[in-house]
């Protein structure tokens, strides 16, 4: 009997403990834990993309972006916001005055949430609108601009990144989720499937790695701020993407879902918008940064991934109306000249909307930044992996807006994790994706969380937030600024800076050090010298004091006399108005004449004072002012000899946008546009690096040929030129070559029949897109070199061949049609690609003249080298480089040394006389004059404009200071001496994610059972024990000890003690046991 009672007593205690623990666990779903294990198994039933993420590692998002002009539709932008009736009256009034008589037009209805409110634009359909009628429309006093409506295509392609054979079954299920457009912007040669974990050339290959399962919010230590009570509460964040399901279990504070497309649904049919929203604000499983933030979902893409500029404009207006705080835009494209879109982004940020946007997935090529992330007022985000390597897919700077006369800005602004990031699945559960469209919501979520930590929300604006992010970023070693921007996102440091922030101005970059490699590449790759082209550094001014500002007086140049600052001259140009929140400061650096033969380091600084109107009248004179210092450090060397100096012609390179300038390699059908700037620091970066390694000094000419001193240079290098030439340029170049300057031209194809063949016809818009030139403007080049009896043909060839024991590939190049009889000409057997394009026939042409070398007859004259293809030195689609050939040509042009491998080549042939290969004529009806700096519209054929004046720099008057310059410019620069120690933080150990190689056959998916969330939001198991769980455990332990003590202290044989278990069993089991 005693044994029975003891057993029942222990059963009773265990029952009570189990009931208490069950009650405790019962509360966990309230704070975010998913108690339903079947969710994991149900992923495959919702969408095939979901099954991909659960069955095979994770997916990489390949985003292809393009846009088209919609025929007959125009966006009419007004000078202010007007009612629909007023807008209609203004348009009617303007079109009544046209010379076209009864014009067929109507306003296109837009049925969306913004239609009930005043707007600043209207979408108008005008059939057969003449340029004069559009100009008449723009002449109305309330109409600001008339631009074509654009149809936007975004193609999301999900690729499994798993390389093992374990996922073969999944690969059989995998399908491209893409909307086929006629102008996609991807380079298929840069596969994300195989190489996105690779770094920026520091490792040629490596094993695929996965982080030990942990969410990106915790890796960036968002849980530190959660413990302080900051969870995004009170911040409105907008997600412009593909929508979100109404009852998705990961979100608890979806304030509004709006649809701006022509589809009658608010749900996400692709999963991308849901993933982005989850990274920002998911509250369970794969938790986001700011689960208590107020989510506003804007569905701006259809399930076919199509959108229109007008949809974005309406949605942006609605976001302004709703006073959105943070806006994530995980899309982008190269068209930074879509004026309505760019203007509206400026208006958004001017209304204190912090826009975060993906920088693009077009890496590792340079000059591939996407808009709007490349704008000064937008936070542009690049991607890294969990080993802090720049992701291969992440686009690189510089911006190309400023070319050819200026130099690009530093972008991205910041980088963060964009490879293998976990986010919400389309219906439920989690998935892993990669891409800068993943890194963007990581920063957007961090910005939302940071904004919620600031008590005085008036201090939070697009400039102050960007200032905090870039000032706190952790610089990655061995990576330059056009890859990483200011470095890796550091959430905790950004919190410290933001919570001790005072309104101020700052600079990006905050210093100029032409000696610091590799971060300051390309500036650090070449010293400066007297007589060289000025080095231009484009600095962004961030103004955290207000949306508008100005520079007080003029920036001041102060050289440090002890550090030879008087050996350099500085010219400064700047934005007359800083709006919105930003402006530019262009610093041109040149060497003073007295340092022509001097070598050493020179330092100084530029002082800039920024003023902004105060929001209240308590400030002195109603203005806030902030003075910032821009340190400058350069390395000066004696002027190199003429034959070591190469001048790159940038002025005559044109690119998309705004015109249709086709790629140089016609086989790249899925990447038909030339949009990387054709600069030595963008898609000709490898060529530049090679020339520097060979001891050449390469400078850039951003002005007409009439604007440089040819006696300073050995060779003028023209590559892939699309622009026309002024008659004065042709005359001067002839004179320069007679006086010793040499010329190298790398041409490309130009064939009017092929140009008509490769034009695009869009079935949706019924619009033809005709190239404005070929790969190069061969007729213009022929005008330039005709005086020497040279010309390129309209032939189009490609193929592999061997030259001087080097394997070569000719990619859509032209041939030499005419060449002087005493010159050296090399011919090769190539395929007639023009015949293949026009008639789909294949033919091999023997001895196609592709290379020519010529010594001009004048005494002391220069040399000319022609080659018909530039793809072998262009990073965009280069298959086999020909840097060795460039070396040989420079030896010939700069040193008059004819390479024996060419002069005695068995491929040498008699120079062509111009009879076998016809020369191309300009395409009739081309629109090159619209985008040309040389041509202007004229009755009949376009005519050259008047020759512009050469750029003239106004050198700043130095104000020398007799003090020692700081030795480390980077650490010396701070955001107005913010003291990070003043901002207290919980005592938390910094987290560094562990990594391990993926075992063969092991799934790379990061499956966390049930979404372990012991706290209010997910915390690492064993890392942080929530207070309520600790107290609950203490209560259970105390209860157990008390019961055990009572059982031992009372008599064991008393009858009442025998009846107590019976009474409890009656209550519990509902029946009376027999004894």
């Amino acid at each position: 009997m005693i044994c029975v009672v003891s057993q029942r007593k222990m059963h009773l205690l265990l029952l009570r403990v189990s009931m208490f623990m069950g009650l405790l666990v019962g509360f966990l779903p309230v704070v975010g834990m998913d108690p339903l294990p079947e969710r994991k198994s149900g992923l495959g039933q919702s969408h095939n993309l979901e099954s991909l993420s659960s069955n095979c590692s994770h997916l990489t998002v390949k985003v292809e972006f393009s846009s088209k002009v919609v025929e007959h539709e125009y966006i009419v932008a007004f000078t202010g916001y007007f009612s629909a009736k007023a807008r209609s009256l203004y348009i009617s009034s303007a079109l009544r005055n046209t010379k076209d008589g009864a014009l067929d037009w109507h306003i296109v209805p837009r049925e969306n949430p913004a239609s009930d409110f005043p707007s600043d634009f209207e979408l108008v359909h005008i059939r057969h609108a003449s340029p004069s009628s559009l100009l008449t429309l723009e002449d109305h006093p309330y109409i600001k601009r008339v631009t074509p409506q654009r149809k936007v295509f975004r193609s999301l392609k999900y690729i499994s990144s798993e390389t093992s054979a374990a996922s073969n079954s999944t690969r059989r299920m995998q399908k491209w989720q893409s909307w086929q457009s006629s102008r996609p912007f991807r380079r298929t040669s840069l596969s994300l499937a195989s190489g996105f974990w690779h770094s920026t050339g520091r490792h040629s290959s490596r094993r695929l790695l996965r982080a030990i399962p942990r969410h990106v919010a915790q890796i960036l230590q968002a849980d530190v701020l959660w413990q302080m009570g900051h969870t995004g509460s009170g911040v409105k964040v907008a997600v412009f993407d593909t929508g979100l399901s109404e009852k998705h279990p990961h979100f608890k504070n979806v304030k509004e879902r709006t649809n701006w497309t022509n589809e009658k649904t608010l749900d996400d049919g692709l999963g991308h918008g849901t993933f982005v929203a989850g990274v920002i604000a998911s509250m369970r499983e794969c938790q986001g940064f700011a689960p208590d933030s107020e989510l506003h979902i804007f569905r701006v893409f259809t399930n076919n991934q199509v959108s229109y500029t007008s949809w974005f404009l309406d949605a942006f207006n609605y976001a302004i109306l709703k006073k959105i705080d943070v806006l994530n835009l995980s899309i982008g494209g190269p068209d930074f000249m879509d004026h309505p879109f760019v203007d509206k982004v400026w208006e958004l940020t001017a209304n204190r909307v912090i826009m975060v946007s993906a920088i693009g997935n077009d890496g590792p090529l340079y000059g591939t930044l996407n808009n709007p992330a490349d704008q000064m007022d937008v936070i542009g985000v690049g991607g890294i992996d969990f080993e802090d390597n720049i992701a291969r897919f992440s686009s690189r700077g510089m911006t190309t807006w400023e070319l050819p006369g200026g130099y690009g800005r530093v972008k991205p602004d910041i980088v963060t994790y964009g490879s293998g990031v976990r986010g919400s699945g389309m219906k439920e559960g989690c998935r892993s994706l990669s891409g800068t469209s993943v890194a963007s919501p990581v920063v957007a979520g961090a910005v939302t969380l940071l904004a919620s930590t600031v008590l005085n929300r008036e201090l939070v604006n697009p400039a102050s937030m960007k200032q905090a992010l870039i000032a706190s970023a952790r610089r990655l070693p061995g990576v330059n600024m056009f890859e990483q921007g200011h470095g890796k996102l550091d959430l905790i440091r950004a919190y410290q800076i933001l919570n001790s922030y005072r309104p101020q101005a700052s600079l990006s970059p905050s210093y100029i050090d032409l000696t610091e490699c590799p971060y300051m590449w390309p500036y650090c790759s070449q010293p400066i010298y007297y007589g060289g082209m000025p080095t231009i550094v484009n600095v962004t001014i961030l103004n955290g004091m207000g949306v508008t500002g100005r520079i007080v007086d003029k920036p001041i140049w102060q050289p440090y006399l002890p550090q030879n600052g008087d050996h350099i001259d500085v010219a400064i140009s700047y934005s007359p108005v800083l709006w919105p929140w930003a402006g530019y400061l262009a610093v041109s650096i040149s060497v003073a004449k007295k340092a022509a033969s001097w070598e050493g380091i020179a330092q100084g600084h530029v002082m800039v004072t920024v003023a902004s109107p105060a929001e209240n009248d308590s400030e002195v004179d109603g203005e806030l002012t902030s003075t910032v210092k821009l340190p400058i450090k350069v390395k000066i060397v004696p002027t190199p000899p003429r034959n070591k100096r190469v001048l790159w012609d940038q002025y005559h390179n044109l690119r998309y946008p705004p015109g249709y300038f086709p790629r140089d390699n016609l086989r790249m059908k899925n990447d038909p546009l030339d949009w990387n700037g054709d600069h030595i620091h963008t898609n000709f970066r490898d060529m530049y690096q090679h020339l520097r390694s060979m001891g050449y000094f390469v400078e850039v000419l951003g002005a007409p040929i009439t604007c440089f001193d040819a006696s300073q240079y050995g060779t003028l290098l023209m590559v892939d030129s699309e622009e026309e030439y002024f008659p004065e340029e042709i005359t001067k170049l002839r004179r320069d070559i007679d006086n010793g300057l040499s010329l190298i031209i790398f041409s490309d194809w130009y064939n009017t029949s092929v140009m008509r063949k490769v034009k695009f016809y869009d079935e949706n818009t019924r619009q033809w897109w005709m190239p404005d030139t070929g790969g190069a403007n061969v007729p213009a080049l022929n005008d330039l070199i005709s005086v020497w009896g040279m010309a390129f043909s309209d032939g189009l060839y490609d193929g592999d061949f061997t030259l001087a024991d080097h394997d070569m590939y000719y990619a859509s190049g032209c041939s030499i049609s005419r060449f002087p009889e005493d010159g050296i000409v090399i011919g090769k057997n190539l395929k007639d690609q023009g015949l293949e394009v026009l008639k789909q026939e294949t033919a091999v042409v023997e001895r196609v003249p592709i290379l020519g070398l010529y010594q001009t007859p004048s005494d002391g004259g220069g040399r000319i080298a022609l080659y018909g293809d530039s793809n072998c030195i262009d990073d965009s689609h280069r298959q086999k480089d020909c840097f060795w050939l460039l070396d040989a040509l420079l030896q010939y042009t700069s040193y008059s040394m004819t390479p024996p491998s060419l002069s005695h080549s068995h491929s040498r042939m008699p120079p062509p006389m111009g009879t076998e290969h016809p020369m191309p004529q300009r395409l009739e009806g081309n629109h090159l004059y619209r985008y040309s700096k040389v041509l202007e519209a004229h009755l009949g054929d376009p005519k050259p404009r008047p020759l512009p004046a050469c750029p003239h720099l106004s050198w700043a008057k130095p104000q020398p200071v007799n003090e020692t310059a700081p030795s480390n410019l980077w650490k010396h620069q701070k955001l107005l001496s913010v003291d990070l120690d003043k901002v207290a933080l919980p005592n938390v150990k910094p987290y560094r994610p562990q990594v391990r190689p993926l075992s063969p056959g092991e799934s790379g998916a990061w499956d966390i059972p049930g979404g372990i969330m012991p706290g209010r939001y997910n915390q690492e198991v064993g890392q942080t024990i929530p207070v309520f769980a600790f107290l609950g455990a203490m209560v259970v332990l105390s209860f157990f000890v008390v019961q055990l003590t009572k059982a031992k202290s009372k008599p064991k044989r008393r009858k009442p003690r025998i009846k107590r278990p019976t009474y409890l069993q009656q209550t519990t089991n509902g029946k009376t046991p027999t004894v």
Side-chain angles (χ1 to χ4, degrees):
M1 182 65 67
I2 296 173
C3 181
V4 171
V5 172
S6 299
Q7 290 178 351
R8 287 176 179 173
K9 187 183 296 293
M10 293 305 298
H11 290 165
L12 176 62
L13 293 179
L14 291 175
L15 177 62
R16 290 179 175 177
V17 171
S18 300
M19 291 174 63
F20 186 88
M21 293 302 295
L23 182 63
L24 180 65
V25 173
F27 283 105
L28 290 180
V30 179
V31 293
M33 189 177 101
D34 185 0
L36 303 176
E38 60 270 16
R39 284 193 174 183
K40 292 286 182 182
S41 60
L43 286 176
Q45 301 174 359
S46 60
H47 198 276
N48 69 324
L49 300 182
E50 299 297 324
S51 63
L52 283 175
S53 64
S54 59
N55 292 336
C56 181
S57 71
H58 70 271
L59 304 177
T60 297
V61 186
K62 292 181 68 175
V63 182
E64 296 181 355
F65 183 90
S66 62
S67 65
K68 289 288 189 64
V69 171
V70 180
E71 193 174 26
H72 307 314
E73 289 190 5
Y74 298 89
I75 295 173
V76 180
F78 295 91
T79 56
Y81 285 78
F82 301 101
S83 65
K85 183 178 180 181
R87 299 194 304 270
S88 177
L89 288 174
Y90 295 153
I91 295 173
S92 300
S93 174
L95 292 179
R96 270 198 301 268
N97 300 325
T98 61
K99 298 178 181 179
D100 297 341
L103 204 62
D104 182 9
W105 69 276
H106 66 271
I107 294 176
V108 179
R110 311 195 309 273
E111 299 179 1
N112 55 53
S115 59
D116 297 331
F117 302 96
S119 178
D120 63 341
F121 80 97
E122 195 65 87
L123 184 61
V124 183
H125 185 279
I126 308 176
R127 291 192 63 83
H128 310 299
S130 65
S132 61
S133 61
L134 297 180
L135 289 175
T136 304
L137 192 58
E138 284 189 335
D139 287 340
H140 193 279
Y142 290 119
I143 294 178
K144 179 171 65 174
R145 184 185 291 117
V146 179
T147 53
Q149 159 86 317
R150 300 189 76 89
K151 185 176 184 179
V152 181
F153 302 86
R154 182 184 68 172
S155 173
L156 296 177
K157 296 180 178 180
Y158 297 91
I159 310 173
S160 173
S161 299
E162 179 62 74
T163 57
S164 69
S167 298
N168 287 339
S169 60
T170 304
R171 285 199 186 95
R172 286 194 293 269
M173 298 190 309
Q174 179 176 324
K175 297 186 182 297
W176 290 117
Q177 306 294 320
S178 65
W179 174 261
Q180 296 299 327
S181 71
S182 57
R183 288 169 58 200
F185 285 55
R186 283 297 311 168
R187 278 169 294 285
T188 54
S189 60
L190 303 179
S191 172
L192 300 189
S194 61
F196 74 92
W197 286 101
H198 295 178
S199 68
T200 60
R202 288 181 284 163
H203 307 277
S204 58
S205 63
R206 61 190 315 123
R207 293 187 65 188
L208 186 65
L209 300 179
R210 294 287 188 272
I212 298 296
R214 199 159 193 259
H215 302 302
V216 66
Q218 292 176 323
I219 293 174
L220 292 172
Q221 295 184 279
D223 45 358
V224 174
L225 301 184
W226 296 341
Q227 293 177 47
M228 300 170 66
H230 305 301
T231 55
S233 178
V235 180
K236 299 178 180 179
V237 56
V239 177
F240 277 58
D241 218 287
T242 57
L244 178 69
S245 300
E246 181 179 8
K247 296 182 179 179
H248 198 290
H250 287 187
F251 306 97
K252 69 172 183 178
N253 196 15
V254 179
K255 186 69 174 180
E256 185 178 26
R257 297 184 306 146
T258 52
N259 177 37
W260 305 88
T261 72
N262 54 13
E263 294 179 340
K264 304 301 180 183
T265 180
L266 292 165
D267 292 343
D268 184 2
L270 295 171
H272 191 269
T274 305
F275 182 92
V276 168
V279 172
I280 296 172
S282 172
M283 61 168 287
R284 65 178 66 207
E285 292 186 272
C286 36
Q287 81 275 24
F289 285 82
D292 283 330
S293 61
E294 191 176 288
L295 264 182
H296 293 253
I297 304 299
F298 290 72
R299 189 176 187 268
V300 292
F301 274 93
T302 66
N303 287 335
N304 286 331
Q305 302 175 55
V306 176
S307 186
Y308 290 86
T309 298
S310 59
W311 293 356
F312 276 102
L313 299 184
D314 272 329
F316 285 155
N317 281 341
Y318 194 70
I320 295 173
L321 183 72
K322 288 293 182 177
K323 299 185 183 301
I324 295 297
D325 298 308
V326 182
L327 190 153
N328 181 80
L329 199 62
S330 287
I331 68 160
D335 191 0
F336 56 79
M337 298 187 74
D338 186 1
H339 292 293
F341 186 91
V342 173
D343 288 352
K344 188 57 66 175
V345 170
W346 284 338
E347 186 180 348
L348 267 170
T349 56
N351 282 273
R352 306 183 75 89
V353 179
I354 302 172
M355 178 175 282
V356 183
S357 185
I359 207 69
N361 288 351
D362 296 294
L365 190 63
Y366 281 67
T368 51
L369 301 174
N370 284 208
N371 180 266
D374 60 352
Q375 295 184 210
M376 287 187 286
D377 53 321
V378 176
I379 300 173
V381 183
I384 60 174
D385 62 26
F386 285 104
E387 288 188 300
D388 290 351
N389 297 314
I390 301 294
R392 180 178 174 84
F393 55 74
S394 187
S395 290
R396 273 73 164 166
M398 59 183 176
T399 62
T400 57
W401 294 40
E402 299 79 7
L403 298 178
Y407 195 84
R409 289 170 284 110
V410 175
K411 282 280 182 170
D413 295 302
I414 199 168
V415 294
T416 191
Y417 300 120
S419 294
V421 173
R422 278 175 61 84
S424 300
M426 188 165 63
K427 298 297 183 183
E428 55 190 358
C430 299
R431 64 193 303 194
S432 296
L433 294 180
S434 297
T436 55
S437 64
V438 175
S440 178
V442 170
V443 172
V447 166
T448 304
L449 180 59
L450 288 170
S452 70
T453 68
V454 181
L455 295 178
N456 183 6
R457 295 287 173 86
E458 291 298 318
L459 292 177
V460 180
N461 58 56
S464 64
M465 184 59 72
K466 183 186 281 192
Q467 287 173 328
L469 291 179
I470 66 179
S472 61
R474 301 280 185 178
R475 184 176 294 183
L476 303 177
V479 182
N480 70 58
M481 60 185 178
F482 289 134
E483 293 178 320
Q484 66 168 313
H486 292 269
K488 172 187 171 184
L489 171 68
D490 189 322
L491 183 64
I492 301 304
R493 282 168 55 92
Y495 161 77
Q496 292 174 299
I497 288 177
L498 202 58
N499 280 269
S500 58
Y501 177 81
R502 292 175 294 159
Q504 62 194 268
S506 65
L507 303 175
S508 169
S510 60
Y511 66 97
I512 300 171
D513 187 350
L514 274 58
T515 68
E516 181 189 2
C517 271
Y519 181 74
M520 279 283 173
W521 187 94
Y523 296 111
C524 64
S525 62
Q526 180 170 293
I528 63 176
Y529 41 84
Y530 175 70
M533 292 289 173
T535 298
I536 305 173
V537 183
N538 196 341
V539 178
T540 298
I541 305 173
L542 296 173
N543 179 22
M545 298 179 292
V547 65
T548 61
R550 62 184 178 87
I551 292 181
V552 179
D553 298 325
K554 290 182 178 180
I556 301 172
W557 162 237
Q558 295 185 307
Y560 293 120
L561 293 182
Q563 277 72 41
N564 309 297
D566 56 340
H567 284 42
I568 55 177
D569 295 323
V570 171
I572 305 167
S573 60
Y574 51 88
S575 302
V577 177
L578 308 180
W579 184 91
W581 309 103
Y584 71 86
L585 181 75
V587 181
S588 299
I589 307 171
S590 190
V591 177
K593 186 176 182 178
K594 65 179 181 180
S597 58
W598 181 80
E599 182 172 358
I601 302 296
Q603 290 185 254
H605 66 246
V606 174
M607 300 291 292
V608 182
T609 300
V610 177
S612 283
E615 295 185 358
N616 54 66
D617 297 331
S618 62
E619 303 294 335
V620 179
D621 297 328
E623 277 192 333
L624 296 173
T625 61
S626 176
T627 300
V628 290
K629 180 188 295 185
L630 179 69
I632 297 175
K633 183 179 182 181
V634 301
K635 181 180 181 181
I636 300 174
V637 297
T639 303
R642 179 182 185 183
N643 53 20
K644 280 290 187 181
R645 296 175 63 179
V646 177
L647 187 63
W648 172 271
D649 178 21
Q650 186 68 41
Y651 186 78
H652 295 93
N653 287 331
L654 299 176
R655 47 74 170 94
Y656 176 89
Y660 171 19
F661 297 100
R663 273 286 185 212
D664 307 323
N665 186 349
L666 288 177
R667 295 207 178 277
M668 299 300 166
K669 297 179 181 179
N670 62 337
D671 191 13
L673 293 178
D674 191 349
W675 64 284
N676 304 129
D678 286 345
H679 193 277
I680 58 172
H681 298 152
T682 57
N683 53 307
F684 288 93
R685 175 180 181 266
D686 288 352
M687 180 210 72
Y688 166 75
Q689 295 282 72
H690 176 80
L691 291 180
R692 287 295 300 129
S693 69
M694 297 302 294
Y696 291 100
F697 293 82
V698 188
E699 302 171 37
V700 176
L701 176 64
I705 293 175
T706 54
C707 296
F708 79 98
D709 180 5
S711 64
Q712 299 285 323
Y713 300 93
T715 301
L716 175 64
L717 184 56
M718 292 183 172
V719 179
D720 188 22
S721 301
E722 295 92 358
E723 181 63 280
E724 295 283 339
Y725 296 89
F726 291 102
E728 295 88 344
E729 290 184 292
I730 297 174
T731 302
K732 180 180 183 293
L733 182 62
R734 183 185 312 166
R735 185 172 62 249
D736 290 340
I737 290 180
D738 286 342
N739 292 328
L741 177 70
S742 292
L743 174 66
I744 296 177
I745 296 178
F746 281 79
S747 183
D748 267 296
W749 67 274
Y750 190 105
N751 184 288
T752 55
S753 299
V754 173
M755 290 166 66
R756 292 187 180 96
K757 184 71 174 181
V758 299
K759 65 182 180 180
F760 294 130
Y761 183 74
D762 181 16
E763 296 289 348
N764 297 309
T765 62
R766 301 180 300 280
Q767 179 83 11
W768 285 103
W769 285 80
M770 186 75 72
D772 295 304
T773 69
N777 192 342
V778 173
L781 288 172
N782 286 346
D783 290 346
L784 191 69
I785 60 178
S786 62
V787 67
W788 295 287
M790 302 177 183
F792 290 104
S793 78
D794 68 349
L796 181 57
Y797 306 95
D798 81 330
D800 294 287
F801 61 93
T802 301
L803 181 61
D805 297 327
H806 292 274
D807 291 333
M808 302 278 286
Y809 177 67
Y810 211 67
S812 304
C814 67
S815 65
I816 297 174
S817 173
R818 190 172 69 231
F819 207 74
E821 60 182 7
D822 55 343
I824 299 173
V825 175
I826 302 297
K828 287 293 179 180
N829 298 342
L830 297 171
K831 290 184 290 185
D832 189 338
Q833 192 178 13
L835 185 66
E836 180 182 347
V837 172
L838 296 174
K839 298 182 179 181
Q840 289 75 51
E841 298 177 3
T842 302
V844 175
V845 181
E846 295 185 354
R847 306 193 75 184
V848 177
I850 59 174
L851 175 64
L853 308 178
Y854 178 64
Q855 169 69 62
T856 59
S858 60
D859 186 22
R863 289 151 295 279
I864 301 175
L866 305 182
Y867 188 67
D869 180 32
S870 69
N871 282 276
C872 58
I873 57 174
D874 187 343
D875 300 347
S876 299
H877 298 297
R878 185 180 65 242
Q879 298 185 28
K880 298 175 183 178
D881 74 71
C882 63
F883 297 147
W884 72 269
L885 177 61
L886 181 58
D887 291 342
L889 297 182
L890 284 171
Q891 286 288 318
Y892 175 70
T893 58
S894 296
Y895 296 95
S896 189
M897 296 173 56
T898 305
S901 59
L902 299 180
S903 61
H904 298 93
S905 172
H906 67 277
S907 300
R908 186 169 176 176
M909 60 178 289
M913 304 305 294
T915 56
E916 298 180 3
H917 304 277
M919 291 179 290
Q921 302 297 317
R922 289 174 175 83
L923 179 67
E924 185 177 353
N926 74 81
H927 297 145
L928 181 62
Y929 66 90
R930 295 179 179 176
Y931 322 112
S932 173
K933 302 179 290 296
V934 177
L935 300 178
E936 64 180 354
H938 193 271
L939 294 176
D941 293 333
K943 301 295 183 183
R945 303 173 188 267
L947 180 69
C950 295
H952 176 71
L953 294 176
S954 179
W955 301 107
K957 184 178 180 180
Q959 298 183 11
V961 290
N962 193 16
E963 61 182 65
T964 303
S967 58
N968 191 322
L969 303 187
W970 174 38
K971 293 183 179 179
H972 176 72
Q973 288 296 295
K974 291 185 178 180
L975 197 61
L976 276 188
S977 300
V978 171
D979 188 359
L980 300 184
D981 296 331
K982 291 183 178 179
V983 183
L985 290 171
N987 192 12
V988 179
K989 181 181 179 181
Y991 175 73
R992 171 75 178 178
Q994 296 174 301
V995 293
R996 58 178 173 84
L998 195 68
S999 302
E1002 178 186 358
S1003 171
W1006 295 342
D1007 298 323
I1008 301 180
I1012 302 170
M1013 303 187 69
R1016 186 178 182 188
Y1017 305 105
N1018 287 13
Q1019 308 289 333
E1020 178 73 11
V1021 178
Q1023 173 98 357
T1024 306
I1025 302 177
V1027 175
F1028 81 91
F1030 176 76
L1031 294 177
M1034 292 299 100
V1035 170
V1036 172
L1037 183 61
S1038 302
F1039 180 84
F1040 184 87
V1041 171
V1042 168
Q1043 294 297 323
L1044 190 61
T1045 303
K1046 287 182 179 181
K1048 290 184 177 181
S1049 61
K1050 293 185 179 181
K1052 296 181 180 180
R1053 293 184 177 271
R1054 291 177 60 185
K1055 289 185 179 181
R1057 291 299 298 167
I1058 298 175
K1059 293 180 180 180
R1060 282 183 69 88
T1062 304
Y1063 174 77
L1064 286 174
Q1065 288 180 357
Q1066 286 177 345
T1067 304
T1068 304
N1069 300 326
K1071 61 181 181 179
T1072 304
T1074 57
V1075 179

